[in-house]
Amino acid sequence: MLRPLVAGNWKMHLTVEEGLQLLQVYRARLEPLAARVDIVVLPPAVTLWPAAAVLRGSPIQLGAQNTGWEDEGPFTGEISPGMLAGWCPYVLIGHSERRQLFHEPDQWINLKLRAAVRHGLKPILAVGETLEEHDAGQTDRVVTGQVTAALDGSHRDWAESLSVAYEPVWAIGTGRAATPEYANGVMARIRRLLREEFASAAAGIRVLYGGSVTAENAADLMAQPEIDGALVGGASLKPDAFTAIVAAAAATASPV
Ligand code: 13P
């Protein structure tokens, strides 16, 4: 199996000071698990730079929750991928909150992916269906459309840095995670799409599950063959829960 990746998306939580304190706790708690798991934290943009200093020398890696796609220019409020390159290795692209609340269309997500790869960042592409789409039996169509649109114009070498997170919107922040079997089925579909796009190189792309991952359900999710890790929201703000989730991923990892 692939080396697991567990990413903690803090969303719009914690002041800079609170965030840096949490990172100190995570250094102490999570670093022993980092031999078996790639651990990424995604704090708010304002916390990224001081967080890089707190994480210097740590195997815990940093990621941004979003990026623009232009290198620079009159784009008030945006951060360019070039501003992250070299010190903030990961970037989340296409989170459902960006898609829904900020109306980011597939075309922007594609532009962001292209720009992130061009700058040597490791994108985590998030996809997933809403409750209405789920109930209407449209999961396959929606997820296929999102993945295909995001990867439009991609090259084989994207596979080296890309991860995909399947986050059913109805499972985010609701306490109602997808069942491991359901998630595994959609993720198998995503992996088939990745194989169509990247051929054998797709085998190295990690596909993560996100949506109400907890200390309690992490092990069952992680035991599924298609699940290579987790994208964690609420539980990533709680040291005990996040440590247990990372430990569950470590337990499924091949010995180093
Ligand atoms: P929760 O883990 O809080 O459901 O959030 C999931 C998520 O959106 C991570 O990106």
Side-chain angles (χ1 to χ4, degrees):
M1 81 166 274
L2 299 173
R3 183 179 156 85
L5 167 62
V6 177
N9 175 11
W10 294 4
K11 308 192 180 184
M12 199 175 73
H13 292 288
L14 306 183
T15 63
V16 174
E17 208 174 344
E18 290 163 346
L20 300 182
Q21 278 166 10
L22 184 60
L23 286 179
Q24 298 285 9
V25 176
Y26 281 171
R27 285 203 66 164
R29 305 275 296 265
L30 300 179
E31 286 183 3
L33 298 165
R36 283 168 173 250
V37 182
D38 283 341
I39 305 166
V40 178
V41 287
L42 306 152
V46 72
T47 305
L48 285 172
W49 182 251
V54 170
L55 293 178
R56 196 159 294 134
S58 172
I60 300 171
Q61 301 178 76
L62 209 49
Q65 295 176 13
N66 188 23
T67 180
W69 62 81
E70 298 285 355
D71 288 349
E72 61 179 3
F75 302 99
T76 302
E78 287 293 277
I79 296 170
S80 83
M83 293 171 184
L84 300 167
W87 61 275
C88 178
Y90 284 84
V91 60
L92 180 59
I93 293 176
H95 191 278
S96 66
E97 287 149 19
R98 301 296 323 169
R99 292 177 189 264
Q100 296 203 307
L101 301 174
F102 301 97
H103 307 291
E104 291 195 4
D106 281 327
Q107 189 210 359
W108 289 13
I109 289 156
N110 176 249
L111 289 169
K112 289 172 185 222
L113 265 180
R114 290 171 185 242
V117 174
R118 194 171 68 243
H119 283 278
L121 299 175
K122 298 177 183 182
I124 302 173
L125 167 67
V127 298
E129 81 283 10
T130 64
L131 184 61
E132 294 72 38
E133 291 160 346
H134 174 263
D135 290 351
Q138 294 180 349
T139 299
D140 191 65
R141 182 188 63 77
V142 169
V143 170
T144 299
Q146 289 175 342
V147 172
T148 308
L151 298 180
D152 184 43
S154 66
H155 294 280
R156 286 277 155 89
D157 57 4
W158 286 28
E160 289 162 27
S161 56
L162 181 69
S163 308
V164 178
Y166 169 55
E167 296 204 303
V169 179
W170 46 269
I172 295 177
T174 59
R176 183 187 159 208
T179 64
E181 296 73 24
Y182 176 86
N184 192 69
V186 181
M187 290 160 80
R189 170 75 186 133
I190 292 172
R191 198 166 305 272
R192 279 201 298 280
L193 291 169
L194 295 173
R195 268 199 297 271
E196 282 166 23
E197 199 78 30
F198 299 111
S200 59
I205 300 176
R206 289 175 291 195
V207 184
L208 318 179
Y209 169 78
S212 295
V213 177
T214 62
E216 290 72 32
N217 64 19
D220 285 347
L221 286 162
M222 236 65 89
Q224 294 293 322
E226 299 291 352
I227 302 186
D228 303 312
L231 180 55
V232 185
S236 73
L237 301 168
K238 301 175 191 152
D240 285 349
F242 196 54
T243 305
I245 293 166
V246 175
T252 65
S254 314
V256 275

